[in-house]
Protein backbone atom coordinates (compact mmCIF):
# COMPACT_ATOMS: atom_id res chain seq x y z
CA UNK A 1 0.00 0.00 0.00
CA UNK A 2 1.47 3.31 -1.08
CA UNK A 3 0.15 6.49 0.52
CA UNK A 4 0.96 9.96 -0.79
CA UNK A 5 -0.66 13.34 -0.28
CA UNK A 6 -0.20 13.99 -4.02
CA UNK A 7 -1.45 11.68 -6.75
CA UNK A 8 1.64 12.41 -8.80
CA UNK A 9 5.39 12.06 -8.63
CA UNK A 10 7.36 15.30 -9.01
CA UNK A 11 10.71 15.39 -10.78
CA UNK A 12 12.18 18.05 -8.50
CA UNK A 13 15.42 18.79 -10.41
CA UNK A 14 13.40 20.54 -13.14
CA UNK A 15 11.17 22.62 -10.84
CA UNK A 16 13.27 25.69 -11.55
CA UNK A 17 12.33 25.41 -15.25
CA UNK A 18 8.65 25.51 -14.27
CA UNK A 19 9.32 28.58 -12.12
CA UNK A 20 10.99 30.35 -15.03
CA UNK A 21 8.48 29.44 -17.74
CA UNK A 22 10.72 26.92 -19.53
CA UNK A 23 8.45 23.94 -18.93
CA UNK A 24 4.81 23.34 -18.10
CA UNK A 25 4.29 21.59 -14.74
CA UNK A 26 2.63 18.53 -16.25
CA UNK A 27 5.83 17.66 -18.11
CA UNK A 28 7.73 17.07 -14.84
CA UNK A 29 4.92 15.31 -12.95
CA UNK A 30 3.57 11.81 -13.47
CA UNK A 31 0.51 10.00 -12.04
CA UNK A 32 1.58 7.57 -9.32
CA UNK A 33 -1.17 5.11 -10.26
CA UNK A 34 0.20 4.93 -13.80
CA UNK A 35 3.81 4.38 -12.67
CA UNK A 36 2.76 1.33 -10.67
CA UNK A 37 -0.24 0.05 -12.63
CA UNK A 38 1.41 -3.18 -13.76
CA UNK A 39 2.34 -4.39 -10.28
CA UNK A 40 -0.03 -7.03 -8.90
CA UNK A 41 -1.17 -6.80 -5.30
CA UNK A 42 -0.45 -3.08 -5.13
CA UNK A 43 -2.73 -0.31 -3.88
CA UNK A 44 -2.41 3.46 -3.89
CA UNK A 45 -4.41 5.78 -1.65
CA UNK A 46 -4.34 9.56 -1.82
CA UNK A 47 -3.78 10.36 1.84
CA UNK A 48 -1.94 12.72 4.13
CA UNK A 49 -0.27 10.77 6.90
CA UNK A 50 -0.65 12.80 10.07
CA UNK A 51 0.68 10.62 12.83
CA UNK A 52 2.42 7.31 13.48
CA UNK A 53 1.64 5.18 16.52
CA UNK A 54 4.75 3.01 16.46
CA UNK A 55 3.75 0.80 19.40
CA UNK A 56 0.26 -0.01 18.08
CA UNK A 57 1.56 -0.14 14.47
CA UNK A 58 -1.09 2.32 13.39
CA UNK A 59 -1.15 5.33 11.07
CA UNK A 60 -3.48 8.28 11.50
CA UNK A 61 -4.36 9.80 8.13
CA UNK A 62 -6.94 12.22 6.74
CA UNK A 63 -8.76 9.23 5.21
CA UNK A 64 -8.87 7.24 8.45
CA UNK A 65 -6.62 5.00 10.53
CA UNK A 66 -4.55 2.22 8.98
CA UNK A 67 -2.78 -0.72 10.56
CA UNK A 68 0.58 -1.92 9.33
CA UNK A 69 3.01 -4.78 9.81
CA UNK A 70 5.89 -2.93 8.23
CA UNK A 71 6.14 0.81 7.65
CA UNK A 72 8.48 2.59 5.21
CA UNK A 73 8.81 6.34 5.57
CA UNK A 74 9.90 8.06 2.36
CA UNK A 75 8.40 11.48 3.03
CA UNK A 76 11.37 13.40 1.62
CA UNK A 77 12.21 16.86 2.84
CA UNK A 78 10.83 20.37 3.15
CA UNK A 79 12.35 23.83 3.02
CA UNK A 80 14.33 24.71 6.12
CA UNK A 81 13.97 28.34 7.18
CA UNK A 82 15.99 27.60 10.33
CA UNK A 83 13.18 28.91 12.53
CA UNK A 84 13.07 32.39 10.92
CA UNK A 85 9.31 32.99 10.70
CA UNK A 86 9.66 36.37 9.01
CA UNK A 87 11.73 34.97 6.16
CA UNK A 88 9.33 32.02 5.90
CA UNK A 89 6.34 34.35 5.58
CA UNK A 90 7.90 36.63 2.97
CA UNK A 91 10.19 34.55 0.80
CA UNK A 92 9.41 31.94 -1.84
CA UNK A 93 10.24 28.26 -1.55
CA UNK A 94 10.62 25.97 -4.57
CA UNK A 95 10.06 22.42 -3.33
CA UNK A 96 6.74 21.56 -4.96
CA UNK A 97 4.90 22.23 -8.22
CA UNK A 98 2.38 24.65 -6.62
CA UNK A 99 5.30 26.60 -5.10
CA UNK A 100 7.05 26.76 -8.48
CA UNK A 101 3.87 28.02 -10.12
CA UNK A 102 3.56 30.67 -7.41
CA UNK A 103 7.10 31.78 -8.12
CA UNK A 104 6.44 31.88 -11.86
CA UNK A 105 3.40 34.09 -11.30
CA UNK A 106 5.22 36.38 -8.87
CA UNK A 107 8.16 36.93 -11.25
CA UNK A 108 5.82 37.84 -14.11
CA UNK A 109 3.48 39.94 -11.95
CA UNK A 110 6.48 41.92 -10.70
CA UNK A 111 7.45 42.84 -14.25
CA UNK A 112 3.88 43.87 -15.02
CA UNK A 113 3.86 46.03 -11.85
CA UNK A 114 7.28 47.48 -12.71
CA UNK A 115 5.76 48.79 -15.94
CA UNK A 116 3.02 50.58 -14.06
CA UNK A 117 4.91 52.31 -11.27
CA UNK A 118 6.51 55.71 -11.68
CA UNK A 119 8.48 55.28 -8.44
CA UNK A 120 12.03 54.38 -9.46
CA UNK A 121 12.90 52.71 -6.13
CA UNK A 122 9.80 50.55 -6.33
CA UNK A 123 10.54 49.65 -9.95
CA UNK A 124 14.07 48.58 -9.06
CA UNK A 125 12.82 46.47 -6.16
CA UNK A 126 10.27 44.79 -8.43
CA UNK A 127 13.06 43.85 -10.82
CA UNK A 128 15.51 42.79 -8.13
CA UNK A 129 15.72 39.03 -7.51
CA UNK A 130 17.51 37.70 -4.48
CA UNK A 131 18.22 33.98 -4.30
CA UNK A 132 19.47 32.75 -0.96
CA UNK A 133 21.61 29.61 -1.15
CA UNK A 134 23.99 28.71 -3.97
CA UNK A 135 23.56 24.96 -4.09
CA UNK A 136 22.36 23.42 -7.38
CA UNK A 137 18.83 24.82 -6.93
CA UNK A 138 19.99 28.42 -6.35
CA UNK A 139 22.61 28.28 -9.10
CA UNK A 140 20.24 26.80 -11.69
CA UNK A 141 17.50 29.29 -10.88
CA UNK A 142 19.91 32.25 -11.00
CA UNK A 143 21.21 31.14 -14.40
CA UNK A 144 17.68 30.72 -15.79
CA UNK A 145 16.61 34.17 -14.54
CA UNK A 146 19.71 35.72 -16.12
CA UNK A 147 18.79 34.12 -19.45
CA UNK A 148 15.25 35.49 -19.18
CA UNK A 149 16.66 38.94 -18.50
CA UNK A 150 18.86 38.73 -21.57
CA UNK A 151 16.67 36.90 -24.06
CA UNK A 152 13.04 37.49 -23.16
CA UNK A 153 12.49 40.65 -21.13
CA UNK A 154 13.67 43.10 -23.81
CA UNK A 155 11.21 41.51 -26.29
CA UNK A 156 8.28 41.25 -23.86
CA UNK A 157 8.73 44.63 -22.20
CA UNK A 158 10.21 46.97 -24.82
CA UNK A 159 8.98 49.98 -22.82
CA UNK A 160 10.74 48.90 -19.60
CA UNK A 161 14.44 49.39 -18.98
CA UNK A 162 15.03 45.73 -18.25
CA UNK A 163 18.78 46.29 -17.96
CA UNK A 164 17.90 47.39 -14.42
CA UNK A 165 16.79 43.85 -13.53
CA UNK A 166 19.26 42.35 -11.07
CA UNK A 167 19.85 38.77 -10.03
CA UNK A 168 21.67 38.40 -6.72
CA UNK A 169 22.81 35.00 -5.53
CA UNK A 170 23.82 34.90 -1.86
CA UNK A 171 25.90 32.16 -0.29
CA UNK A 172 26.93 32.01 3.35
CA UNK A 173 30.14 30.05 2.71
CA UNK A 174 33.21 30.90 0.65
CA UNK A 175 32.21 29.00 -2.47
CA UNK A 176 29.09 28.15 -4.46
CA UNK A 177 28.08 24.51 -5.17
CA UNK A 178 30.12 23.58 -2.13
CA UNK A 179 29.14 19.89 -2.35
CA UNK A 180 30.91 19.71 -5.73
CA UNK A 181 34.63 19.97 -6.63
CA UNK A 182 36.43 23.32 -6.36
CA UNK A 183 36.87 23.28 -10.13
CA UNK A 184 33.09 22.95 -10.64
CA UNK A 185 32.43 25.76 -8.11
CA UNK A 186 34.89 28.11 -9.78
CA UNK A 187 33.62 27.40 -13.28
CA UNK A 188 29.97 27.75 -12.24
CA UNK A 189 30.77 31.12 -10.68
CA UNK A 190 32.51 32.24 -13.89
CA UNK A 191 29.48 31.14 -15.92
CA UNK A 192 27.10 33.03 -13.63
CA UNK A 193 29.18 36.18 -13.79
CA UNK A 194 29.28 35.92 -17.59
CA UNK A 195 25.49 35.89 -17.48
CA UNK A 196 25.44 38.99 -15.29
CA UNK A 197 24.46 37.35 -11.98
CA UNK A 198 25.88 39.04 -8.86
CA UNK A 199 27.36 36.32 -6.68
CA UNK A 200 27.81 37.27 -3.01
CA UNK A 201 29.88 34.81 -0.96
CA UNK A 202 30.45 34.75 2.80
CA UNK A 203 27.20 36.68 3.24
CA UNK A 204 24.44 35.39 5.49
CA UNK A 205 20.86 36.63 5.10
CA UNK A 206 19.45 37.63 8.48
CA UNK A 207 15.97 38.96 7.71
CA UNK A 208 13.49 39.83 4.99
CA UNK A 209 10.32 41.79 5.75
CA UNK A 210 8.91 41.62 2.23
CA UNK A 211 10.86 44.68 1.13
CA UNK A 212 14.39 44.72 2.53
CA UNK A 213 16.84 41.88 2.84
CA UNK A 214 19.37 42.42 5.63
CA UNK A 215 22.55 40.44 5.95
CA UNK A 216 25.30 39.90 8.52
CA UNK A 217 27.28 42.65 6.72
CA UNK A 218 26.45 46.21 5.61
CA UNK A 219 24.92 44.76 2.48
CA UNK A 220 21.15 45.14 2.10
CA UNK A 221 18.87 44.52 -0.86
CA UNK A 222 15.53 46.11 -1.74
CA UNK A 223 13.73 43.24 -3.46
CA UNK A 224 10.17 42.14 -4.15
CA UNK A 225 11.25 38.55 -4.80
CA UNK A 226 13.40 36.50 -2.47
CA UNK A 227 13.77 32.80 -3.18
CA UNK A 228 14.89 30.70 -0.23
CA UNK A 229 17.08 27.84 -1.47
CA UNK A 230 19.32 27.77 1.59
CA UNK A 231 18.40 24.43 3.07
CA UNK A 232 16.07 21.51 3.54
CA UNK A 233 15.08 19.37 6.50
CA UNK A 234 13.42 15.99 6.78
CA UNK A 235 9.61 15.99 6.42
CA UNK A 236 8.97 14.28 9.74
CA UNK A 237 5.67 12.88 10.93
CA UNK A 238 4.27 13.29 14.41
CA UNK A 239 4.86 10.25 16.57
CA UNK A 240 8.18 9.43 14.92
CA UNK A 241 10.15 12.45 16.03
CA UNK A 242 11.76 11.36 19.29
CA UNK A 243 15.15 12.86 20.11
CA UNK A 244 16.97 9.53 20.34
CA UNK A 245 16.53 8.75 16.67
CA UNK A 246 16.03 12.18 15.07
CA UNK A 247 19.32 13.81 14.14
CA UNK A 248 20.56 17.04 12.51
CA UNK A 249 18.22 18.35 9.83
CA UNK A 250 15.20 16.44 11.20
CA UNK A 251 16.34 13.18 9.65
CA UNK A 252 15.63 9.77 11.12
CA UNK A 253 18.67 7.75 12.16
CA UNK A 254 18.65 4.39 10.37
CA UNK A 255 20.98 1.40 10.28
CA UNK A 256 22.47 -0.14 7.14
CA UNK A 257 19.17 -1.98 6.52
CA UNK A 258 17.24 1.34 6.62
CA UNK A 259 15.58 0.38 9.95
CA UNK A 260 14.84 3.39 12.14
CA UNK A 261 16.88 3.18 15.34
CA UNK A 262 15.01 1.13 17.91
CA UNK A 263 12.52 -0.48 15.49
CA UNK A 264 12.84 -3.55 13.31
CA UNK A 265 9.51 -2.97 11.54
CA UNK A 266 9.84 0.74 10.70
CA UNK A 267 12.13 1.77 7.85
CA UNK A 268 13.12 5.14 6.43
CA UNK A 269 14.71 5.83 3.03
CA UNK A 270 15.66 8.86 0.94
CA UNK A 271 15.90 12.42 2.22
CA UNK A 272 14.15 11.66 5.52
CA UNK A 273 16.70 8.95 6.43
CA UNK A 274 20.13 9.55 7.92
CA UNK A 275 22.36 6.52 7.38
CA UNK A 276 25.68 7.45 8.94
CA UNK A 277 28.83 5.85 7.57
CA UNK A 278 32.53 6.57 7.89
CA UNK A 279 32.56 8.42 4.55
CA UNK A 280 29.24 10.15 5.24
CA UNK A 281 29.12 10.90 8.99
CA UNK A 282 26.09 13.17 8.47
CA UNK A 283 24.27 10.66 6.30
CA UNK A 284 24.13 10.46 2.51
CA UNK A 285 23.42 13.69 0.61
CA UNK A 286 19.74 14.59 0.29
CA UNK A 287 19.77 13.77 -3.41
CA UNK A 288 17.96 11.48 -5.79
CA UNK A 289 20.59 8.72 -6.07
CA UNK A 290 20.69 7.69 -2.38
CA UNK A 291 16.86 7.73 -2.38
CA UNK A 292 16.55 5.60 -5.53
CA UNK A 293 19.24 3.13 -4.45
CA UNK A 294 17.84 2.78 -0.91
CA UNK A 295 14.35 2.18 -2.31
CA UNK A 296 15.61 -0.56 -4.64
CA UNK A 297 17.67 -2.20 -1.90
CA UNK A 298 14.79 -2.18 0.59
CA UNK A 299 12.47 -3.72 -2.00
CA UNK A 300 14.95 -6.53 -2.43
CA UNK A 301 15.30 -6.92 1.33
CA UNK A 302 11.53 -7.27 1.81
CA UNK A 303 11.59 -10.21 -0.60
CA UNK A 304 14.48 -11.67 1.40
CA UNK A 305 12.48 -11.18 4.62
CA UNK A 306 9.51 -13.06 3.16
CA UNK A 307 11.87 -15.85 2.08
CA UNK A 308 13.39 -15.95 5.60
CA UNK A 309 16.77 -14.89 4.29
CA UNK A 310 18.98 -12.29 6.02
CA UNK A 311 18.67 -8.71 4.71
CA UNK A 312 21.58 -7.23 2.74
CA UNK A 313 23.23 -4.04 4.06
CA UNK A 314 22.99 -0.92 1.88
CA UNK A 315 26.02 0.13 -0.14
CA UNK A 316 25.93 3.54 -1.81
CA UNK A 317 27.25 3.86 -5.35
CA UNK A 318 28.19 7.50 -5.78
CA UNK A 319 27.35 8.41 -9.38
CA UNK A 320 28.58 12.00 -9.10
CA UNK A 321 26.84 15.37 -9.22
CA UNK A 322 26.00 17.97 -11.82
CA UNK A 323 24.41 21.39 -12.23
CA UNK A 324 23.49 23.52 -15.22
CA UNK A 325 23.92 27.26 -15.31
CA UNK A 326 22.41 27.99 -18.69
CA UNK A 327 22.60 27.24 -22.38
CA UNK A 328 25.88 25.41 -23.15
CA UNK A 329 26.95 25.89 -19.54
CA UNK A 330 27.03 23.07 -17.00
CA UNK A 331 29.42 21.44 -14.56
CA UNK A 332 29.72 17.69 -14.02
CA UNK A 333 31.71 15.87 -11.33
CA UNK A 334 32.07 12.14 -11.90
CA UNK A 335 34.27 9.99 -9.69
CA UNK A 336 37.25 10.01 -12.05
CA UNK A 337 36.34 12.78 -14.45
CA UNK A 338 35.30 16.38 -13.88
CA UNK A 339 34.30 18.50 -16.85
CA UNK A 340 32.47 21.71 -17.61
CA UNK A 341 30.96 23.60 -20.55
CA UNK A 342 29.04 22.46 -23.63
CA UNK A 343 29.67 18.72 -23.33
CA UNK A 344 28.72 18.86 -19.63
CA UNK A 345 25.50 20.60 -20.63
CA UNK A 346 24.60 17.82 -23.07
CA UNK A 347 25.39 15.21 -20.41
CA UNK A 348 23.20 17.13 -17.93
CA UNK A 349 20.31 17.16 -20.42
CA UNK A 350 20.67 13.48 -21.28
CA UNK A 351 20.77 12.40 -17.62
CA UNK A 352 17.71 14.50 -16.74
CA UNK A 353 15.74 13.16 -19.69
CA UNK A 354 16.75 9.62 -18.78
CA UNK A 355 15.53 9.91 -15.19
CA UNK A 356 12.31 11.75 -16.03
CA UNK A 357 9.36 9.41 -15.55
CA UNK A 358 7.08 8.72 -18.51
CA UNK A 359 7.75 8.53 -22.24
CA UNK A 360 5.41 11.45 -23.00
CA UNK A 361 7.19 13.67 -20.49
CA UNK A 362 10.56 12.87 -22.00
CA UNK A 363 9.32 13.74 -25.49
CA UNK A 364 7.62 16.95 -24.33
CA UNK A 365 10.65 18.12 -22.34
CA UNK A 366 13.05 17.25 -25.19
CA UNK A 367 10.93 19.09 -27.77
CA UNK A 368 10.63 22.10 -25.43
CA UNK A 369 14.37 22.21 -24.89
CA UNK A 370 15.12 22.03 -28.61
CA UNK A 371 12.51 24.73 -29.32
CA UNK A 372 13.80 26.99 -26.53
CA UNK A 373 17.37 26.44 -27.68
CA UNK A 374 16.67 27.39 -31.28
CA UNK A 375 14.24 30.22 -30.52
CA UNK A 376 15.87 31.59 -27.33
CA UNK A 377 12.39 31.34 -25.86
CA UNK A 378 10.38 30.14 -22.85
CA UNK A 379 6.76 30.01 -23.81
CA UNK A 380 5.25 28.91 -20.51
CA UNK A 381 5.53 32.43 -19.08
CA UNK A 382 1.89 32.48 -18.06
CA UNK A 383 0.20 33.91 -15.00
CA UNK A 384 -2.36 31.11 -14.68
CA UNK A 385 -2.85 31.41 -10.94
CA UNK A 386 -2.09 34.97 -9.80
CA UNK A 387 -0.02 34.92 -6.62
CA UNK A 388 -0.14 37.22 -3.62
CA UNK A 389 2.03 36.65 -0.59
CA UNK A 390 -0.05 35.83 2.49
CA UNK A 391 1.81 38.47 4.51
CA UNK A 392 0.68 41.13 2.00
CA UNK A 393 -2.96 40.08 1.66
C1 LIG B 1 14.39 22.22 -6.57
C2 LIG B 1 15.08 20.92 -6.33
C3 LIG B 1 16.08 20.49 -7.19
C4 LIG B 1 16.74 19.27 -6.97
N1 LIG B 1 17.72 18.89 -7.85
C5 LIG B 1 18.34 17.70 -7.68
C6 LIG B 1 19.31 17.25 -8.61
O1 LIG B 1 19.62 17.92 -9.59
N2 LIG B 1 19.90 16.03 -8.39
C7 LIG B 1 19.56 15.25 -7.31
O2 LIG B 1 20.11 14.15 -7.16
N3 LIG B 1 18.65 15.65 -6.42
C8 LIG B 1 18.02 16.86 -6.57
N4 LIG B 1 17.08 17.27 -5.67
C9 LIG B 1 16.82 16.43 -4.51
C10 LIG B 1 15.94 15.23 -4.85
O3 LIG B 1 14.80 15.66 -5.55
C11 LIG B 1 15.54 14.54 -3.55
O4 LIG B 1 16.72 14.16 -2.88
C12 LIG B 1 14.69 13.30 -3.81
O5 LIG B 1 13.47 13.64 -4.44
C13 LIG B 1 14.39 12.59 -2.48
O6 LIG B 1 13.52 11.54 -2.72
P1 LIG B 1 12.52 11.04 -1.58
O7 LIG B 1 11.83 9.87 -2.17
O8 LIG B 1 13.27 10.90 -0.31
O9 LIG B 1 11.51 12.26 -1.37
P2 LIG B 1 10.54 13.01 -2.39
O10 LIG B 1 10.93 12.79 -3.79
O11 LIG B 1 10.49 14.43 -1.90
O12 LIG B 1 9.14 12.31 -2.15
C14 LIG B 1 8.44 12.44 -0.94
C15 LIG B 1 6.99 12.10 -1.17
O13 LIG B 1 6.35 11.98 0.09
C16 LIG B 1 5.09 12.62 0.05
N5 LIG B 1 4.77 13.00 1.43
C17 LIG B 1 5.50 13.76 2.27
N6 LIG B 1 4.90 13.88 3.46
C18 LIG B 1 3.76 13.16 3.38
C19 LIG B 1 2.71 12.88 4.31
N7 LIG B 1 2.74 13.35 5.55
N8 LIG B 1 1.67 12.13 3.88
C20 LIG B 1 1.63 11.63 2.61
N9 LIG B 1 2.62 11.86 1.71
C21 LIG B 1 3.66 12.61 2.08
C22 LIG B 1 5.29 13.78 -0.89
O14 LIG B 1 4.04 14.18 -1.48
C23 LIG B 1 6.24 13.19 -1.94
O15 LIG B 1 5.54 12.61 -3.01
C24 LIG B 1 16.40 18.48 -5.87
C25 LIG B 1 15.38 18.89 -5.00
C26 LIG B 1 14.73 20.09 -5.24
C27 LIG B 1 13.63 20.54 -4.30
Amino acid sequence: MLLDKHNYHTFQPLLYQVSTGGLEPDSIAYPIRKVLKDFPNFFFRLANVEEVDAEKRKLKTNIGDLKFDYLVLATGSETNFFGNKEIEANSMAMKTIPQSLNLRSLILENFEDALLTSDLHERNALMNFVIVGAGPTGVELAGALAEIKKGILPKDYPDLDTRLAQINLIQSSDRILKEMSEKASKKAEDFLEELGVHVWKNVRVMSYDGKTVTTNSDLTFQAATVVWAAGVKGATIKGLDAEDYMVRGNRLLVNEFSQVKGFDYIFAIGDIACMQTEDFPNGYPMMAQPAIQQGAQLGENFIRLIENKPMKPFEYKDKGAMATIGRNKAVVDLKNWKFQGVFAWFVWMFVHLYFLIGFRNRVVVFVNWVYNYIRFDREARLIIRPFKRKSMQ
Side-chain angles (χ1 to χ4, degrees), residues 3-6 8-16 32 47-50 74-77 94-96 136-137 140 232 235-237 269-272 285-291 322 348 352:
L3 306 173
D4 203 300
K5 59 186 172 186
H6 297 119
Y8 55 86
H9 167 267
T10 305
F11 189 69
Q12 295 172 3
L14 293 180
L15 280 173
Y16 81 97
I32 291 175
N48 188 12
V49 178
E50 292 156 354
T75 46
S77 54
M94 201 182 63
K95 231 4 221 133
T96 63
T137 302
E140 293 182 347
V232 288
T236 47
I237 294 186
I269 50 173
D271 282 4
I272 182 75
M286 290 159 99
M287 284 170 60
Q289 273 306 319
M322 55 183 70
W348 179 92
H352 283 71

Side-chain angles (χ1 to χ4, degrees), residues 68-116:
F68 62 84
D69 296 319
Y70 292 98
L71 173 69
V72 181
L73 279 180
T75 46
S77 54
E78 55 196 26
T79 306
N80 192 353
F81 294 94
F82 303 99
N84 192 322
K85 293 280 170 213
E86 191 194 39
I87 292 181
E88 186 172 349
N90 292 303
S91 66
M92 307 295 288
M94 201 182 63
K95 231 4 221 133
T96 63
I97 285 180
Q99 287 173 344
S100 296
L101 287 174
N102 287 345
L103 181 56
R104 181 174 91 179
S105 294
L106 182 67
I107 293 168
L108 297 167
E109 285 163 17
N110 283 346
F111 282 111
E112 297 297 330
D113 288 347
L115 264 180
L116 300 177

Side-chain angles (χ1 to χ4, degrees), residues 111-301:
F111 282 111
E112 297 297 330
D113 288 347
L115 264 180
L116 300 177
T117 181
S118 50
D119 179 330
L120 190 64
H121 286 295
E122 193 189 349
R123 189 181 306 152
N124 283 345
L126 286 163
M127 295 202 291
N128 190 2
F129 297 90
V130 172
I131 300 161
V132 190
T137 302
V139 165
E140 293 182 347
L141 183 65
L145 284 171
E147 289 196 329
I148 289 181
K149 174 183 170 182
K150 198 170 143 207
I152 290 171
L153 293 187
K155 284 186 253 165
D156 273 11
Y157 303 94
D159 41 350
L160 187 68
D161 187 358
T162 51
R163 287 170 308 171
L164 297 176
Q166 272 196 42
I167 296 122
N168 293 289
L169 179 63
I170 304 181
Q171 169 77 338
S172 60
S173 63
D174 60 359
R175 68 182 177 101
I176 67 168
L177 295 180
K178 67 179 167 35
E179 310 299 336
M180 295 186 71
S181 64
E182 290 207 13
K183 206 171 159 192
S185 300
K186 174 78 188 65
K187 195 68 193 172
E189 195 177 330
D190 292 347
F191 282 148
L192 284 169
E193 279 169 2
E194 249 174 65
L195 287 168
V197 174
H198 304 284
V199 180
W200 306 93
K201 290 178 294 185
N202 294 313
V203 174
R204 188 174 287 275
V205 169
M206 304 307 285
S207 70
Y208 176 55
D209 61 4
K211 287 192 170 142
T212 309
V213 177
T214 66
T215 67
N216 60 345
S217 69
D218 291 343
L219 205 62
T220 58
F221 302 86
Q222 303 299 317
T225 314
V226 171
V227 182
W228 189 259
V232 288
K233 59 180 180 185
T236 47
I237 294 186
K238 203 172 145 196
L240 261 192
D241 45 13
E243 262 173 30
D244 54 337
Y245 49 78
M246 197 154 91
V247 293
R248 218 170 78 125
N250 283 10
R251 297 173 88 188
L252 299 173
L253 199 58
V254 297
N255 63 13
E256 68 272 38
F257 306 110
S258 295
Q259 287 161 312
V260 176
K261 191 182 166 199
F263 301 95
D264 57 7
Y265 54 92
I266 301 183
F267 299 77
I269 50 173
D271 282 4
I272 182 75
C274 179
M275 194 184 281
Q276 295 171 334
T277 64
E278 220 174 282
D279 291 342
F280 296 92
N282 294 321
Y284 295 115
M286 290 159 99
M287 284 170 60
Q289 273 306 319
I292 293 168
Q293 292 177 28
Q294 284 175 346
Q297 173 75 66
L298 185 53
E300 223 180 271
N301 275 339

